[in-house]
């Protein structure tokens, strides 16, 4: 079939198949990170971003302007991570052509190319310092190519777009040295190629099965729990009890009173000779043994609320409003990936916490919701991840009110140090922001993590399971021992400049003996340097060394 016009229904189908194809290749895009870190999420962020925009389309309407507006307005709010922000802006600019300055029922190839060009302008504008050798280069060069050959049908247009995009992709290591050192191409560019390949497959009449919606996934990863896990929430216990003759005589008030001694959130109703009970308790065995004396269970449900909490937060981030300083001259918004750090940041003065799991990335909508929850004209925001700074800035533009400052906090160590020194009674917001920037500028942080795959970087061979030390995008060292790697990093940093304080931020997966060994090393070899330990509550084996 020859497609010469793009209408609303075809636009929806192209988006659908583009997202489907990207979802099929999501894991391989995630694995293409420059460093073999276990938290590669480029593919995931792109799928989630585009899926958020697509879900906003209410119907596969033939009116192109209608569905394009719905998609464009939603995709930027769902953007996650640097790759998600860039792709959201690309498709926002691309889609706006279809309803501004006038609404269009359908468009031809020439206008499709104009839409690509506007998408590129939006994508480049989204980045303060655009870097060539990335997704930006690939979509720009592919668009420039199709604008010169002037195809007359959409199938050929996208086919030629992909032809040049793949050539540009192979050249990305020649434009960006860090890619050449790692022997990979740009992962975001691979992701966008997957999207357009999915579109082409639709035009060619091929079938791509729809992947399960990750946002509706009820799968629980029980591997997140081990013998060191903390189960803080108790058990949700529900049952329907049939009262029986010959069992203990039943008194509703006394029964309820006994339940109150064993748990909370109690609902206990008596219907004839049956008792319906709901209770939250840390000792379900005691509740069941107590109730069993009165009869037999007709139905019984017992759920670990810590597991429920993990499953729920895996699916959706929650903005938690802390009441610690609601009436202050400014508000502080922070991102946290564990309950432990959320509680710590709250105790240090954070007003609103975007609380997520350790594998989740905040969307622009999460940040906008947090700004609303702050209820303050002056807001300072700690994204706490280099991949989330751009998302926070996009959210700031969407929010469009008050004085919101996005701090370039690259880790929880930056946030921890800054919160410790903020004068929350100070009414001079500019002074507060200036002080935060100065604190972060003088912090040297190194992340120690486990290699998730075999890799070669700059001629250095990294094997899966090795420990690697990273300062931003710089690989400092590798070792088979976490302790030995930490010793080397500390020695190298301290040799260049003696630091007053070294703080260890350790995840739950790090053995206690490793932490003790590193702290002993600091106290023994650097007697004038203070050492601190912060247990992050993250499930992984990351260790952040913060030097101040």
């Amino acid at each position: 079939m020859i497609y010469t016009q793009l209408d609303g229904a075809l636009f929806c189908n192209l988006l659908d198949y583009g997202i489907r194809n990207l979802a099929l290749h999501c894991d391989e895009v995630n694995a293409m990170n420059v460093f073999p870190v276990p938290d590669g999420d480029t593919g995931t962020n792109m799928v989630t971003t585009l899926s958020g925009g697509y879900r906003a389309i209410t119907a596969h309407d033939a009116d192109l302007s209608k569905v394009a507006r719905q998609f464009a307005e939603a995709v930027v709010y769902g953007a996650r991570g640097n790759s998600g922000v860039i792709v959201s802006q690309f498709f926002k600019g691309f889609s706006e052509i279809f309803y501004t300055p006038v609404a269009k029922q359908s468009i031809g190839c020439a206008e499709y190319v104009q839409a690509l060009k506007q998408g590129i302008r939006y994508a480049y504008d989204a980045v303060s310092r655009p870097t060539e050798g990335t997704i930006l280069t690939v979509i720009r060069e592919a668009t420039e190519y199709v604008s010169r050959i002037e195809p007359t049908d959409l199938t050929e247009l996208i086919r030629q777009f992909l032809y040049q995009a793949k050539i540009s992709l192979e050249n990305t290591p020649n434009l960006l040295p860090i890619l050449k050192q790692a022997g990979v191409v740009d992962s975001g560019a691979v992701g966008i190629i997957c999207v357009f390949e999915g579109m082409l497959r639709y035009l060619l009449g091929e079938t791509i099965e729809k992947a399960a919606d990750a946002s509706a996934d009820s799968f629980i990863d029980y591997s997140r729990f081990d013998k060191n896990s903390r189960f803080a929430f108790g058990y949700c216990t529900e049952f329907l009890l049939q009262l029986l003759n010959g069992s203990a005589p039943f008194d509703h008030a006394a029964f309820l009173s006994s339940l109150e001694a064993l748990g909370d959130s109690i609902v206990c109703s008596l219907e004839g000779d049956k008792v319906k009970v709901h209770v939250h308790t840390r000792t379900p065995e005691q509740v069941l043994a107590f109730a069993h004396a009165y009869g037999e269970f007709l139905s019984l449900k017992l759920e670990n609320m810590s597991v429920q909490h993990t499953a729920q937060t895996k699916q959706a981030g929650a903005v938690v409003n802390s009441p610690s300083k609601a009436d202050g001259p400014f508000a502080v918004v922070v991102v946290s990936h564990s309950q432990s750090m959320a509680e710590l940041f709250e105790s240090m003065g954070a007003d609103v916490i975007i609380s997520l799991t350790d594998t989740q990335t905040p969307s622009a909508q999460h940040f906008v919701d947090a700004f609303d929850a702050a209820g303050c004209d002056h807001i300072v925001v700690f994204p706490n991840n280099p991949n989330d700074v751009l998302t926070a800035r996009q959210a700031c533009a969407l929010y469009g009110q008050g004085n919101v400052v996005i701090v370039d906090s690259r880790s929880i160590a930056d946030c921890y140090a800054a919160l410790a020194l903020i004068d929350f009674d100070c009414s001079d917001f500019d002074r507060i922001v200036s002080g935060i920037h100065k604190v972060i500028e003088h912090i040297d942080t190194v992340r120690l993590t486990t290699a998730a795959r075999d890799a070669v970087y700059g001629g250095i061979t990294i094997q899966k399971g090795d420990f690697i030390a990273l300062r931003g995008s710089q690989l400092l060292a590798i070792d088979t021992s976490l302790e030995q790697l930490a010793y080397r990093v500390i020695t190298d940093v301290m040799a260049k400049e003696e630091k007053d304080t070294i703080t260890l931020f350790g995840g739950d997966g790090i053995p206690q003996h490793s932490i003790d060994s590193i702290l002993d090393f600091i106290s023994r070899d650097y007697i004038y340097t203070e050492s601190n330990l912060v247990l992050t509550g993250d499930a992984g084996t990351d260790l952040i060394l913060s030097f101040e």
Side-chain angles (χ1 to χ4, degrees):
M1 183 174 180
I2 297 176
Y3 296 90
T4 59
Q5 294 286 310
L6 178 73
D7 63 8
L10 181 56
F11 179 68
C12 291
N13 288 328
L14 293 182
L15 286 174
D16 181 22
Y17 265 58
I19 297 167
R20 291 188 191 199
N21 196 56
L22 176 59
L24 285 179
H25 299 279
C26 184
D27 288 343
E28 69 182 70
V29 176
N30 284 344
M32 295 188 71
N33 276 33
V34 169
F35 296 113
V37 292
D39 54 358
D41 55 5
T42 297
T44 301
N45 288 339
M46 293 178 73
V47 169
T48 306
T49 296
L50 293 174
S51 296
Y54 182 74
R55 281 195 294 271
I57 299 173
T58 55
H60 283 210
D61 200 299
D63 186 341
L64 178 60
S65 65
K66 180 178 179 180
V67 295
R69 182 186 294 273
Q70 290 173 339
F71 178 75
E73 291 179 352
V75 71
V76 293
Y77 281 95
R80 298 171 187 255
N82 292 342
S83 59
V85 170
I86 292 171
V87 79
S88 75
Q89 286 296 321
F90 171 73
F91 277 105
K92 180 177 187 290
F94 176 86
S95 303
E96 281 190 358
I97 282 285
F98 308 145
Y99 62 88
T100 57
V102 295
K104 299 177 177 66
Q105 294 286 322
S106 64
I107 57 101
C109 289
E111 289 172 298
Y112 191 101
V113 172
Q114 292 304 310
L116 290 173
K117 289 180 177 178
Q118 178 161 296
I120 291 166
R121 289 196 297 272
Y122 276 49
Y124 269 83
D125 288 345
V127 185
S128 58
R129 289 192 295 270
T131 301
E132 298 300 335
T134 64
I135 182 176
L136 296 173
T137 304
V138 170
I139 57 176
R140 175 178 57 78
E141 292 184 346
T143 298
E144 291 171 350
Y145 179 77
V146 296
S147 67
R148 291 194 298 269
I149 63 174
E150 300 181 349
T152 57
D153 72 89
L154 294 174
T155 304
E156 186 61 21
L157 192 160
I158 294 179
R159 194 196 309 273
Q160 294 300 324
F161 180 93
L162 284 167
Y163 167 78
Q164 180 58 47
K166 291 176 181 178
I167 293 174
S168 298
L169 175 69
E170 294 305 314
N171 191 49
T172 54
N174 296 323
L175 299 176
L176 198 56
I178 194 170
L179 296 176
K180 177 165 283 191
Q181 289 178 344
V184 297
V185 293
D186 181 71
S187 58
V190 173
I192 199 69
I193 285 174
C194 288
V195 173
F196 278 92
E197 283 180 334
M199 293 180 177
L200 179 61
R201 290 182 64 179
Y202 178 83
L203 295 173
L204 293 174
E206 299 178 13
T207 300
I208 304 176
E209 293 299 323
K210 189 175 181 65
D213 187 349
S215 65
D217 186 8
S218 60
F219 170 75
I220 300 174
D221 182 7
Y222 292 109
S223 69
R224 292 170 59 87
F225 302 96
D226 59 27
K227 62 183 180 181
N228 297 312
S229 296
R230 292 186 291 271
F231 293 90
F233 298 100
Y235 298 84
C236 177
T237 306
E238 297 181 32
F239 56 83
L240 180 63
L241 182 69
Q242 174 63 63
L243 301 177
L244 294 177
N245 292 328
S247 297
F250 183 80
D251 179 275
H252 190 204
F255 186 87
L256 180 59
S257 177
S258 296
L259 281 179
E260 289 174 343
L262 296 172
D264 54 27
S265 299
I266 297 170
V267 177
C268 179
S269 60
L270 176 63
E271 299 293 338
D273 56 2
K274 296 178 177 63
V275 184
K276 179 68 173 177
V277 172
H278 170 280
V279 58
H280 291 175
T281 177
R282 288 185 175 276
T283 56
E285 68 283 0
Q286 293 183 24
V287 171
L288 297 178
F290 159 71
H292 205 184
Y294 294 90
E296 295 294 338
F297 299 107
L298 297 177
S299 65
L300 175 63
K301 185 173 74 171
L302 182 65
E303 292 184 319
N304 187 319
M305 290 189 291
S306 295
V307 176
Q308 287 180 313
H309 175 76
T310 297
Q312 291 164 358
T313 55
K314 174 177 178 287
Q315 293 172 24
V319 176
V320 181
N321 190 14
S322 165
S324 59
K325 195 181 58 61
D327 298 324
F330 62 93
V332 174
V333 173
V334 305
V335 176
S336 172
H337 290 270
S338 74
Q339 184 65 26
S340 297
M341 292 309 299
E343 293 172 356
L344 178 59
F345 287 148
E346 181 180 342
S347 72
M348 297 177 75
D351 300 289
V352 181
I353 299 168
I354 303 175
S355 186
L356 305 159
T357 69
D358 57 340
T359 59
Q360 206 172 20
T361 304
S363 68
Q365 185 67 62
H366 287 139
F367 282 107
V368 172
D369 290 344
F371 302 160
D372 283 334
C376 192
D377 289 335
H378 294 82
I379 304 171
V380 59
V381 185
F382 292 89
N384 296 338
N385 189 311
N387 201 35
D388 298 335
V389 173
L390 194 59
T391 309
R393 289 174 181 162
Q394 175 153 299
C396 185
L398 292 169
Y399 188 61
Q401 54 185 298
N403 185 5
V404 182
V405 175
I406 310 300
V407 177
D408 192 19
S409 57
R410 301 272 157 162
S411 72
I412 55 175
D414 292 343
C415 183
Y416 178 84
L419 288 178
L421 294 177
I422 289 178
D423 179 2
F424 287 97
D425 294 323
C426 179
S427 60
D428 188 339
F429 186 62
D430 291 339
R431 180 181 173 186
I432 291 294
V433 172
S434 176
I436 291 171
H437 288 321
K438 288 179 180 177
V439 170
I440 293 178
E441 285 172 5
H442 289 89
I443 293 176
D444 186 3
T445 59
V446 179
R447 176 189 177 192
L448 278 58
T449 189
T450 309
R453 57 180 169 83
D454 293 346
V456 177
Y457 181 83
I460 301 174
T461 299
I462 303 172
Q463 295 184 333
K464 181 179 179 179
D466 283 348
F467 292 99
I468 58 176
L470 301 168
R471 178 187 284 122
S473 60
Q474 179 185 9
L475 176 64
L476 299 182
I478 65 171
D479 206 297
T480 56
S481 164
L482 176 63
E483 295 98 309
Q484 292 298 324
L485 183 61
Y487 303 158
R488 290 169 60 187
V489 169
I490 294 169
T491 300
D492 289 346
V493 171
M494 296 294 280
K496 293 174 183 176
E497 182 183 359
E498 194 80 12
K499 301 291 185 177
D500 296 326
T501 304
I502 302 175
T503 304
L504 278 61
F505 295 84
D508 284 350
I510 300 177
Q512 185 62 47
H513 68 81
S514 296
I515 291 175
D516 292 340
S517 178
I518 296 168
L519 291 172
D520 288 344
F521 173 79
I522 296 170
S523 62
R524 183 181 67 248
D525 286 33
Y526 302 96
I527 59 175
Y528 299 111
T529 299
E530 179 184 348
S531 60
N532 299 311
L533 171 64
V534 176
L535 297 176
T536 65
D538 290 335
T541 57
D542 271 14
L543 177 67
I544 296 175
L545 301 177
S546 175
F547 301 85
E548 300 176 58

